[in-house]
Amino acid sequence: MSRARIGRDVAARLEANPFIKKAKVDVAQIYYFPDYLNDAECDMLVERIDANRRPSTLLATHDDPDFRTSDSCDLDRWAPEIRAIDERLAHLLGIPPEHGETMQGQRYAVGQQFRAHCDYFHETEAYWQDMVDQGGQRTWTAMIYLNEVDEGGATWFPRAGIRVAPRKGLLLMWNNMLPDGSPNYDTLHEGMAVLEGTKYIITKWFRENAWIRTAVPTYTSPGRDS
């Protein structure tokens, strides 16, 4: 019930904002906010990602060796310039900042990708109890593109039928849950391979309860280029 309430409250808040547009799909709640970050904010975040990136990880092993081949960076949420963006996002969605995970930066070079996946946690996986202890299920995702990409790198929702090309400063948000609060498989999405250039984004995931960071095992796709 709390997930359903969060979904209703956030959707109502976003739809009341004149700068935000709702995607014309019925199977998922997906929203756009063009030019949410300015050029200086985007450039600062790109610099932070480049300085602190590491191979992206997964919570479970996967048969596809090239499932996730990007780099990631956990941004310092207490750095003043990061905290301002972090808490601004929480306020935009109307979710308490303490429900948000650490904002993560991602970098995709040519050929790198993140195959189709859902952001919510699968409750039958071995990691689920760790996620419960950390704050429970992921509800909303907020993702911001930090630069233009020469070719490729779109975010594709194959079941919802939309594809979003990277555009500097564009904020993309979606509810990972159905109206009843259960996981919505139609939020399946893919970070398509970059064909030319480099793609930078930041992602902010929100939990149903306050997030408490704990150490959990993670895995790297073996096909990731070093």
Side-chain angles (χ1 to χ4, degrees), residues 78-152:
W78 304 118
E81 58 275 27
I82 302 297
R83 184 174 183 178
I85 295 170
D86 191 291
E87 295 188 358
R88 198 166 99 211
L89 271 174
H91 177 72
L92 180 73
L93 276 73
I95 299 175
E98 58 269 23
H99 286 227
E101 297 180 28
T102 294
M103 196 158 59
Q104 187 180 100
Q106 286 114 25
R107 177 186 185 273
Y108 294 80
V110 171
Q112 292 185 330
Q113 64 196 356
F114 194 172
R115 302 271 200 212
H117 62 283
C118 294
D119 283 356
Y120 60 77
F121 301 119
H122 297 276
E123 299 181 14
T124 57
E125 291 285 348
Y127 61 67
W128 172 240
Q129 186 55 53
D130 287 327
M131 298 304 104
V132 171
D133 295 340
Q134 283 191 352
Q137 186 60 273
R138 281 176 174 163
T139 54
W140 285 80
T141 295
M143 188 176 76
I144 307 174
Y145 301 95
L146 303 179
N147 71 317
E148 310 289 337
V149 178
D150 294 331
E151 187 176 357

Coordinates of all heavy atoms in Angstrom, one line a residue, residues 78-152:
W78 N 27.3 14.5 0.0 CA 27.5 15.6 1.0 C 28.3 16.7 0.4 O 28.5 17.8 1.1 CB 28.1 15.1 2.3 CG 27.3 14.0 2.9 CD1 27.6 12.7 3.1 CD2 25.9 14.1 3.3 NE1 26.6 11.9 3.6 CE2 25.5 12.8 3.7 CE3 24.9 15.1 3.3 CZ2 24.2 12.5 4.2 CZ3 23.7 14.8 3.8 CH2 23.3 13.5 4.3
A79 N 28.9 16.5 -0.8 CA 29.6 17.7 -1.4 C 28.6 18.7 -1.8 O 27.5 18.4 -2.3 CB 30.3 17.2 -2.7
P80 N 28.8 20.0 -1.4 CA 27.8 21.0 -1.6 C 27.1 21.0 -3.0 O 25.9 21.1 -3.1 CB 28.5 22.3 -1.3 CG 29.6 21.9 -0.4 CD 30.1 20.5 -0.9
E81 N 27.9 21.0 -4.0 CA 27.4 21.1 -5.4 C 26.6 19.8 -5.8 O 25.7 19.9 -6.6 CB 28.5 21.4 -6.4 CG 29.6 20.3 -6.5 CD 30.7 20.6 -5.4 OE1 30.4 21.2 -4.4 OE2 31.8 20.1 -5.7
I82 N 27.0 18.6 -5.2 CA 26.2 17.4 -5.5 C 24.9 17.4 -4.6 O 23.9 17.0 -5.1 CB 27.1 16.2 -5.2 CG1 28.4 16.2 -6.0 CG2 26.3 14.9 -5.4 CD1 28.1 16.1 -7.5
R83 N 25.1 17.8 -3.4 CA 23.9 17.8 -2.5 C 22.8 18.7 -3.0 O 21.6 18.3 -2.9 CB 24.3 18.2 -1.1 CG 23.2 18.1 -0.1 CD 23.7 18.4 1.3 NE 22.6 18.3 2.3 CZ 22.8 18.5 3.6 NH1 24.0 18.8 4.1 NH2 21.8 18.3 4.5
A84 N 23.2 19.8 -3.6 CA 22.1 20.7 -4.1 C 21.3 20.0 -5.2 O 20.1 20.1 -5.2 CB 22.8 22.0 -4.6
I85 N 22.0 19.3 -6.1 CA 21.3 18.6 -7.2 C 20.5 17.4 -6.6 O 19.3 17.2 -7.0 CB 22.3 18.1 -8.2 CG1 22.9 19.4 -8.9 CG2 21.6 17.2 -9.3 CD1 24.1 19.0 -9.8
D86 N 21.1 16.7 -5.7 CA 20.5 15.5 -5.1 C 19.2 15.8 -4.4 O 18.1 15.2 -4.7 CB 21.5 14.9 -4.1 CG 21.1 13.5 -3.6 OD1 20.1 13.4 -2.9 OD2 21.8 12.5 -4.0
E87 N 19.2 16.9 -3.6 CA 18.0 17.2 -2.8 C 17.0 17.9 -3.6 O 15.8 17.8 -3.4 CB 18.4 18.0 -1.6 CG 19.3 17.2 -0.6 CD 19.5 17.8 0.7 OE1 19.1 19.0 0.9 OE2 20.2 17.2 1.6
R88 N 17.4 18.6 -4.7 CA 16.5 19.2 -5.6 C 15.7 18.2 -6.3 O 14.4 18.4 -6.5 CB 17.3 20.1 -6.6 CG 16.4 21.1 -7.3 CD 17.4 22.1 -8.0 NE 17.5 21.8 -9.4 CZ 18.6 22.0 -10.1 NH1 19.7 22.5 -9.6 NH2 18.7 21.8 -11.4
L89 N 16.3 17.1 -6.7 CA 15.6 16.0 -7.3 C 14.5 15.4 -6.4 O 13.4 15.2 -6.8 CB 16.5 14.9 -7.8 CG 17.2 15.0 -9.1 CD1 18.2 13.9 -9.3 CD2 16.1 14.9 -10.2
A90 N 14.9 15.2 -5.1 CA 13.9 14.6 -4.2 C 12.8 15.6 -4.0 O 11.6 15.1 -4.0 CB 14.7 14.4 -2.8
H91 N 13.0 16.8 -3.9 CA 11.9 17.8 -3.8 C 11.0 17.8 -5.0 O 9.8 18.0 -4.9 CB 12.5 19.2 -3.5 CG 11.5 20.3 -3.4 ND1 10.6 20.4 -2.3 CD2 11.1 21.3 -4.3 CE1 9.8 21.4 -2.5 NE2 10.1 21.9 -3.7
L92 N 11.6 17.7 -6.2 CA 10.8 17.7 -7.4 C 9.8 16.6 -7.4 O 8.6 16.8 -7.7 CB 11.7 17.6 -8.6 CG 11.1 17.6 -10.0 CD1 10.6 19.0 -10.3 CD2 12.0 17.1 -11.1
L93 N 10.2 15.4 -7.0 CA 9.3 14.3 -6.9 C 8.5 14.2 -5.6 O 7.5 13.5 -5.6 CB 10.1 13.0 -7.0 CG 10.5 12.5 -8.4 CD1 11.6 13.4 -9.0 CD2 10.9 11.0 -8.4
G94 N 8.9 15.0 -4.6 CA 8.1 15.0 -3.4 C 8.4 13.8 -2.5 O 7.6 13.4 -1.7
I95 N 9.6 13.2 -2.7 CA 10.0 12.1 -1.9 C 11.1 12.5 -0.9 O 12.0 13.3 -1.2 CB 10.7 11.0 -2.8 CG1 9.6 10.5 -3.8 CG2 11.2 9.8 -2.0 CD1 10.1 9.5 -4.8
P96 N 11.0 12.1 0.4 CA 12.0 12.5 1.4 C 13.4 12.2 0.9 O 13.7 11.1 0.4 CB 11.6 11.7 2.6 CG 10.2 11.4 2.5 CD 10.0 11.2 1.0
P97 N 14.4 13.1 1.0 CA 15.7 12.9 0.6 C 16.3 11.6 1.2 O 17.1 10.9 0.5 CB 16.5 14.1 1.0 CG 15.5 15.2 1.1 CD 14.2 14.5 1.5
E98 N 15.9 11.3 2.4 CA 16.5 10.1 3.0 C 16.1 8.8 2.4 O 16.6 7.7 2.6 CB 16.2 10.1 4.5 CG 14.8 10.1 4.9 CD 14.2 11.5 5.1 OE1 14.7 12.4 4.5 OE2 13.2 11.6 5.8
H99 N 15.1 8.8 1.5 CA 14.7 7.6 0.8 C 15.5 7.4 -0.5 O 15.4 6.4 -1.1 CB 13.2 7.8 0.4 CG 12.2 7.6 1.5 ND1 11.1 6.7 1.4 CD2 12.2 8.1 2.8 CE1 10.5 6.8 2.6 NE2 11.1 7.6 3.4
G100 N 16.3 8.4 -0.8 CA 17.1 8.3 -2.1 C 18.4 7.6 -1.9 O 19.2 7.8 -0.9
E101 N 18.8 6.7 -2.8 CA 20.1 6.1 -2.8 C 21.1 7.2 -3.2 O 20.8 8.2 -3.7 CB 20.2 4.9 -3.7 CG 19.3 3.8 -3.4 CD 19.4 2.6 -4.4 OE1 20.5 2.4 -5.0 OE2 18.4 1.9 -4.6
T102 N 22.4 6.9 -3.0 CA 23.5 7.7 -3.4 C 23.3 7.9 -4.9 O 23.2 6.9 -5.7 CB 24.8 7.2 -3.1 OG1 25.0 7.2 -1.7 CG2 26.0 8.0 -3.7
M103 N 23.4 9.1 -5.4 CA 23.3 9.4 -6.8 C 24.5 8.8 -7.6 O 25.6 8.9 -7.1 CB 23.2 10.9 -7.1 CG 22.8 11.3 -8.4 SD 22.1 13.0 -8.4 CE 23.6 13.9 -7.8
Q104 N 24.2 8.0 -8.6 CA 25.3 7.3 -9.3 C 25.5 7.9 -10.7 O 24.5 8.2 -11.5 CB 24.9 5.8 -9.5 CG 26.0 5.0 -10.0 CD 25.6 3.5 -10.2 OE1 25.3 3.0 -11.2 NE2 25.7 2.8 -9.0
G105 N 26.7 8.2 -11.1 CA 27.1 8.6 -12.4 C 27.4 7.4 -13.3 O 28.0 6.4 -12.7
Q106 N 27.1 7.4 -14.6 CA 27.5 6.3 -15.5 C 28.1 6.9 -16.7 O 27.7 7.9 -17.2 CB 26.3 5.5 -15.8 CG 25.8 4.6 -14.7 CD 24.5 4.9 -14.2 OE1 23.7 5.5 -14.9 NE2 24.2 4.6 -12.9
R107 N 29.1 6.2 -17.2 CA 29.8 6.6 -18.5 C 29.8 5.4 -19.4 O 30.2 4.3 -19.1 CB 31.3 7.0 -18.2 CG 32.1 7.3 -19.4 CD 33.6 7.5 -18.9 NE 34.4 8.0 -20.0 CZ 35.1 7.2 -20.8 NH1 34.9 5.8 -20.8 NH2 35.9 7.7 -21.8
Y108 N 29.4 5.6 -20.7 CA 29.3 4.6 -21.7 C 30.2 5.1 -22.9 O 29.9 6.0 -23.5 CB 27.9 4.5 -22.3 CG 26.9 3.9 -21.3 CD1 26.3 4.7 -20.3 CD2 26.5 2.5 -21.3 CE1 25.4 4.2 -19.4 CE2 25.6 2.0 -20.4 CZ 25.0 2.9 -19.5 OH 24.1 2.3 -18.6
A109 N 31.3 4.3 -23.1 CA 32.2 4.6 -24.2 C 31.6 3.8 -25.4 O 30.6 3.1 -25.3 CB 33.6 4.1 -23.9
V110 N 32.2 3.9 -26.6 CA 31.8 3.2 -27.8 C 31.7 1.7 -27.5 O 32.6 1.1 -27.0 CB 32.7 3.5 -29.0 CG1 32.4 2.6 -30.2 CG2 32.6 5.0 -29.4
G111 N 30.5 1.2 -27.9 CA 30.3 -0.3 -27.7 C 29.7 -0.7 -26.3 O 29.3 -1.8 -26.2
Q112 N 29.8 0.2 -25.4 CA 29.3 -0.1 -24.0 C 27.8 0.1 -23.9 O 27.2 0.9 -24.6 CB 30.0 0.7 -23.0 CG 31.5 0.3 -22.9 CD 32.2 1.1 -21.7 OE1 31.8 2.2 -21.4 NE2 33.2 0.4 -21.2
Q113 N 27.2 -0.7 -23.0 CA 25.7 -0.8 -23.0 C 25.3 -1.4 -21.6 O 26.1 -1.8 -20.8 CB 25.2 -1.8 -24.1 CG 25.7 -3.2 -23.8 CD 25.6 -4.1 -25.0 OE1 25.1 -3.7 -26.0 NE2 26.1 -5.3 -24.9
F114 N 24.0 -1.3 -21.4 CA 23.3 -2.0 -20.3 C 22.1 -2.7 -20.9 O 21.1 -2.0 -21.2 CB 22.9 -1.0 -19.2 CG 22.6 -1.6 -17.9 CD1 22.4 -0.8 -16.8 CD2 22.4 -3.0 -17.7 CE1 22.1 -1.3 -15.5 CE2 22.1 -3.5 -16.5 CZ 21.9 -2.7 -15.4
R115 N 22.1 -4.0 -21.0 CA 21.0 -4.7 -21.7 C 19.7 -4.5 -20.9 O 19.7 -4.0 -19.8 CB 21.4 -6.2 -21.7 CG 22.6 -6.6 -22.4 CD 22.4 -6.8 -23.9 NE 23.5 -7.6 -24.4 CZ 24.0 -7.5 -25.6 NH1 23.4 -6.7 -26.5 NH2 25.0 -8.3 -26.1
A116 N 18.6 -4.9 -21.5 CA 17.3 -4.7 -21.0 C 17.2 -5.2 -19.6 O 17.5 -6.4 -19.3 CB 16.2 -5.3 -21.9
H117 N 16.7 -4.4 -18.7 CA 16.6 -4.8 -17.2 C 15.5 -3.9 -16.6 O 15.1 -2.9 -17.2 CB 17.9 -4.5 -16.5 CG 18.3 -3.1 -16.5 ND1 18.9 -2.5 -17.7 CD2 18.3 -2.1 -15.6 CE1 19.1 -1.2 -17.4 NE2 18.7 -0.9 -16.2
C118 N 15.1 -4.2 -15.4 CA 14.2 -3.4 -14.6 C 15.0 -2.9 -13.4 O 15.9 -3.5 -12.9 CB 13.0 -4.2 -14.2 SG 11.9 -4.8 -15.5
D119 N 14.6 -1.7 -13.0 CA 15.3 -1.1 -11.8 C 14.8 -1.6 -10.5 O 15.5 -1.5 -9.5 CB 15.1 0.4 -11.8 CG 16.1 1.1 -12.8 OD1 16.9 0.4 -13.5 OD2 16.0 2.3 -13.0
Y120 N 13.6 -2.2 -10.5 CA 13.1 -2.7 -9.2 C 13.8 -4.0 -8.9 O 14.4 -4.7 -9.7 CB 11.6 -3.0 -9.3 CG 11.1 -3.9 -10.3 CD1 11.2 -5.3 -10.2 CD2 10.5 -3.5 -11.5 CE1 10.7 -6.2 -11.1 CE2 10.0 -4.3 -12.5 CZ 10.1 -5.7 -12.3 OH 9.7 -6.6 -13.2
F121 N 13.8 -4.4 -7.6 CA 14.4 -5.6 -7.1 C 13.5 -6.8 -7.3 O 12.3 -6.7 -7.0 CB 14.9 -5.5 -5.7 CG 15.8 -4.3 -5.4 CD1 15.4 -3.3 -4.6 CD2 17.0 -4.2 -6.1 CE1 16.3 -2.2 -4.3 CE2 17.9 -3.2 -5.8 CZ 17.5 -2.2 -5.0
H122 N 14.1 -7.9 -7.7 CA 13.3 -9.1 -7.9 C 13.3 -9.8 -6.5 O 14.3 -10.3 -6.0 CB 13.9 -10.0 -8.9 CG 13.9 -9.4 -10.3 ND1 12.8 -9.4 -11.1 CD2 14.8 -8.6 -11.0 CE1 13.1 -8.8 -12.3 NE2 14.3 -8.3 -12.2
E123 N 12.1 -10.0 -6.0 CA 12.0 -10.5 -4.6 C 12.3 -11.9 -4.4 O 12.3 -12.4 -3.3 CB 10.6 -10.1 -4.1 CG 10.3 -8.6 -4.1 CD 9.0 -8.1 -3.6 OE1 8.3 -9.0 -3.0 OE2 8.6 -7.0 -3.8
T124 N 12.5 -12.7 -5.5 CA 12.9 -14.1 -5.4 C 14.4 -14.3 -5.4 O 14.8 -15.4 -5.3 CB 12.2 -14.9 -6.5 OG1 12.6 -14.3 -7.8 CG2 10.7 -14.9 -6.4
E125 N 15.1 -13.2 -5.7 CA 16.6 -13.3 -5.7 C 17.2 -13.3 -4.4 O 16.6 -12.9 -3.4 CB 17.1 -12.1 -6.5 CG 16.8 -12.1 -8.0 CD 17.6 -13.1 -8.8 OE1 18.6 -13.7 -8.3 OE2 17.3 -13.4 -10.0
A126 N 18.4 -13.9 -4.3 CA 19.1 -14.1 -3.0 C 19.4 -12.7 -2.3 O 19.5 -12.7 -1.1 CB 20.4 -14.8 -3.2
Y127 N 19.5 -11.7 -3.1 CA 19.9 -10.4 -2.6 C 18.7 -9.6 -1.9 O 18.9 -8.6 -1.3 CB 20.5 -9.4 -3.6 CG 19.5 -9.1 -4.8 CD1 18.4 -8.3 -4.6 CD2 19.8 -9.6 -6.1 CE1 17.5 -8.0 -5.7 CE2 19.0 -9.3 -7.2 CZ 17.8 -8.5 -6.9 OH 17.0 -8.2 -8.0
W128 N 17.5 -10.2 -2.1 CA 16.3 -9.4 -1.7 C 16.3 -9.0 -0.2 O 16.0 -7.9 0.2 CB 15.0 -10.2 -2.0 CG 13.8 -9.6 -1.4 CD1 12.9 -10.1 -0.6 CD2 13.2 -8.2 -1.7 NE1 11.9 -9.3 -0.3 CE2 12.1 -8.1 -0.9 CE3 13.7 -7.2 -2.5 CZ2 11.3 -6.9 -1.0 CZ3 13.0 -6.0 -2.5 CH2 11.8 -5.9 -1.7
Q129 N 16.7 -10.0 0.7 CA 16.7 -9.6 2.1 C 17.6 -8.5 2.4 O 17.3 -7.6 3.3 CB 17.0 -10.8 3.0 CG 16.9 -10.6 4.5 CD 15.5 -10.1 4.9 OE1 14.5 -10.7 4.5 NE2 15.4 -9.0 5.6
D130 N 18.7 -8.4 1.7 CA 19.6 -7.3 1.9 C 19.0 -6.0 1.5 O 19.1 -4.9 2.1 CB 20.9 -7.5 1.1 CG 21.9 -8.5 1.7 OD1 21.9 -8.7 2.9 OD2 22.5 -9.2 0.9
M131 N 18.2 -6.0 0.4 CA 17.5 -4.8 0.0 C 16.4 -4.4 1.0 O 16.2 -3.2 1.2 CB 16.9 -5.1 -1.4 CG 17.9 -5.4 -2.5 SD 19.2 -4.1 -2.7 CE 20.6 -4.9 -1.9
V132 N 15.7 -5.4 1.6 CA 14.7 -5.1 2.6 C 15.4 -4.3 3.7 O 14.9 -3.3 4.2 CB 14.1 -6.4 3.1 CG1 13.2 -6.1 4.3 CG2 13.2 -7.0 2.0
D133 N 16.6 -4.8 4.1 CA 17.3 -4.2 5.2 C 17.8 -2.8 4.9 O 18.0 -1.9 5.8 CB 18.5 -5.1 5.6 CG 18.1 -6.4 6.2 OD1 16.9 -6.6 6.6 OD2 18.9 -7.3 6.2
Q134 N 18.0 -2.6 3.6 CA 18.5 -1.2 3.1 C 17.4 -0.2 3.0 O 17.7 1.0 2.8 CB 19.2 -1.4 1.8 CG 20.6 -1.9 1.9 CD 21.3 -1.8 0.5 OE1 20.7 -1.4 -0.5 NE2 22.6 -2.1 0.5
G135 N 16.1 -0.6 3.0 CA 15.0 0.4 2.8 C 13.9 -0.1 1.9 O 13.0 0.6 1.5
G136 N 14.0 -1.4 1.4 CA 13.0 -2.0 0.7 C 13.0 -1.8 -0.8 O 14.1 -1.5 -1.4
Q137 N 11.9 -1.9 -1.5 CA 11.8 -1.8 -2.9 C 12.1 -0.4 -3.5 O 11.9 0.6 -2.8 CB 10.4 -2.3 -3.3 CG 10.2 -2.5 -4.8 CD 11.1 -3.5 -5.4 OE1 12.2 -3.1 -5.9 NE2 10.6 -4.7 -5.5
R138 N 12.7 -0.4 -4.7 CA 12.8 0.8 -5.4 C 11.5 1.2 -6.0 O 10.8 0.4 -6.6 CB 13.8 0.7 -6.6 CG 15.3 0.7 -6.1 CD 16.2 0.5 -7.3 NE 17.6 0.7 -6.9 CZ 18.6 0.2 -7.6 NH1 18.4 -0.4 -8.8 NH2 19.9 0.4 -7.3
T139 N 11.1 2.5 -5.8 CA 9.9 3.0 -6.3 C 10.1 3.8 -7.6 O 9.8 3.3 -8.7 CB 9.1 3.8 -5.3 OG1 10.0 4.9 -4.8 CG2 8.7 3.0 -4.1
W140 N 10.7 5.0 -7.5 CA 10.9 5.8 -8.7 C 12.4 5.9 -9.1 O 13.3 5.8 -8.2 CB 10.4 7.2 -8.4 CG 8.9 7.3 -8.4 CD1 8.0 7.0 -7.4 CD2 8.1 7.8 -9.5 NE1 6.8 7.2 -7.8 CE2 6.8 7.7 -9.1 CE3 8.4 8.3 -10.8 CZ2 5.7 8.1 -9.9 CZ3 7.3 8.7 -11.6 CH2 6.0 8.6 -11.1
T141 N 12.6 6.1 -10.4 CA 13.9 6.3 -10.9 C 13.9 7.7 -11.6 O 13.0 8.1 -12.3 CB 14.3 5.3 -12.0 OG1 14.3 4.0 -11.4 CG2 15.6 5.6 -12.7
A142 N 15.0 8.4 -11.3 CA 15.3 9.7 -12.0 C 16.6 9.6 -12.7 O 17.6 9.3 -12.0 CB 15.2 10.9 -11.0
M143 N 16.7 9.9 -14.0 CA 17.9 9.8 -14.7 C 18.1 11.1 -15.6 O 17.1 11.5 -16.2 CB 17.8 8.6 -15.7 CG 19.1 8.2 -16.4 SD 18.9 6.7 -17.3 CE 18.0 7.3 -18.7
I144 N 19.3 11.6 -15.6 CA 19.6 12.8 -16.3 C 20.7 12.6 -17.3 O 21.8 12.1 -16.9 CB 19.9 14.0 -15.3 CG1 18.9 14.2 -14.3 CG2 20.1 15.3 -16.1 CD1 19.2 15.2 -13.2
Y145 N 20.5 13.0 -18.5 CA 21.6 12.9 -19.6 C 22.4 14.2 -19.4 O 22.0 15.3 -19.3 CB 20.9 12.9 -21.0 CG 20.0 11.8 -21.2 CD1 18.6 11.9 -21.0 CD2 20.5 10.5 -21.6 CE1 17.8 10.8 -21.2 CE2 19.6 9.5 -21.8 CZ 18.3 9.6 -21.6 OH 17.4 8.6 -21.9
L146 N 23.8 14.0 -19.4 CA 24.7 15.0 -19.2 C 25.4 15.6 -20.4 O 26.1 16.6 -20.3 CB 25.8 14.6 -18.2 CG 25.2 14.0 -16.8 CD1 26.4 13.6 -16.0 CD2 24.4 15.1 -16.1
N147 N 25.2 14.9 -21.5 CA 25.8 15.4 -22.8 C 25.1 14.8 -24.0 O 24.2 14.0 -23.9 CB 27.3 15.0 -22.8 CG 27.4 13.5 -23.0 OD1 26.7 12.6 -22.4 ND2 28.4 13.1 -23.9
E148 N 25.4 15.4 -25.1 CA 24.9 14.9 -26.4 C 25.8 13.7 -26.8 O 27.0 13.7 -26.5 CB 24.9 15.9 -27.5 CG 24.3 17.3 -27.1 CD 22.8 17.2 -26.9 OE1 22.1 16.3 -27.6 OE2 22.2 18.0 -26.2
V149 N 25.2 12.7 -27.5 CA 25.9 11.6 -28.0 C 25.9 11.6 -29.5 O 24.8 11.7 -30.1 CB 25.4 10.3 -27.4 CG1 26.1 9.0 -28.0 CG2 25.4 10.3 -25.9
D150 N 27.0 11.4 -30.2 CA 27.1 11.5 -31.6 C 26.1 10.4 -32.3 O 25.4 10.8 -33.2 CB 28.5 11.3 -32.1 CG 29.4 12.5 -31.7 OD1 28.9 13.6 -31.5 OD2 30.6 12.2 -31.5
E151 N 26.2 9.2 -31.8 CA 25.3 8.2 -32.3 C 25.1 7.1 -31.3 O 26.1 6.6 -30.7 CB 25.9 7.6 -33.6 CG 24.9 6.6 -34.4 CD 25.5 6.1 -35.7 OE1 26.6 6.6 -36.1 OE2 24.8 5.3 -36.3
G152 N 23.9 6.6 -31.2 CA 23.6 5.5 -30.3 C 23.3 6.0 -28.8 O 23.2 7.2 -28.6

